Amino acid sequence: MRPIKGQIVETDPEPNMDWSISADGFYVYPRRHETILGGTGEPNVEDETVDNGAVHLMIRGNKRILPHLTMNSVKSTYAELRPYREGEIRVEAEEVGDKRIIHHYGH
């Protein structure tokens, strides 16, 4: 397991958009109260500081879908770490004492 830094951008809702799209490393997920734009995946980065260069990249990359996007569209940004596992996804049961632990990670 190792960390991957992921960063997203939150913009205003897109009420006329009832579908999501993911292509070329970018994605748009409309929600009721906001639209989520993504994203980054930076292996072995443990710093959760928002990278403004990545924000600009996500805005530019998602303008193909939402041409009206600008830096003024950004309501908030988030950068967090998520676990990553080399190789295949782990889905496995393990008995520990009288408990069963289900491992399911590495997506």
Side-chain angles (χ1 to χ4, degrees):
M1 296 277 292
R2 61 185 174 133
I4 289 186
K5 178 182 179 180
Q7 189 167 312
I8 60 170
V9 171
E10 187 177 285
T11 65
D12 283 332
E14 296 289 337
N16 296 322
M17 188 176 182
D18 61 356
W19 46 272
S20 61
I21 187 168
S22 175
D24 302 327
F26 297 102
Y27 54 83
V28 176
Y29 295 122
R31 296 182 179 173
R32 180 176 296 159
H33 301 292
E34 70 272 325
T35 301
I36 303 299
L37 309 178
T40 66
E42 301 171 63
N44 300 314
V45 175
E46 296 187 28
D47 178 13
E48 295 180 58
T49 304
V50 169
D51 176 358
N52 285 328
V55 174
H56 284 275
L57 180 65
M58 286 183 276
I59 293 296
R60 280 194 317 268
N62 282 303
K63 282 178 83 78
R64 297 174 297 171
I65 296 123
L66 301 172
H68 62 277
L69 288 175
T70 68
M71 286 303 292
N72 290 331
S73 305
V74 176
K75 300 299 176 197
S76 59
T77 61
Y78 302 93
E80 296 182 352
L81 302 178
R82 59 182 182 259
Y84 176 77
R85 182 171 190 261
E86 288 289 339
E88 297 180 11
I89 296 169
R90 181 180 182 193
V91 180
E92 182 179 350
E94 177 184 2
E95 303 297 328
V96 178
D98 62 343
K99 305 281 185 197
R100 174 178 279 178
I101 298 174
I102 306 295
H103 301 275
H104 185 208
Y105 58 84
H107 300 275

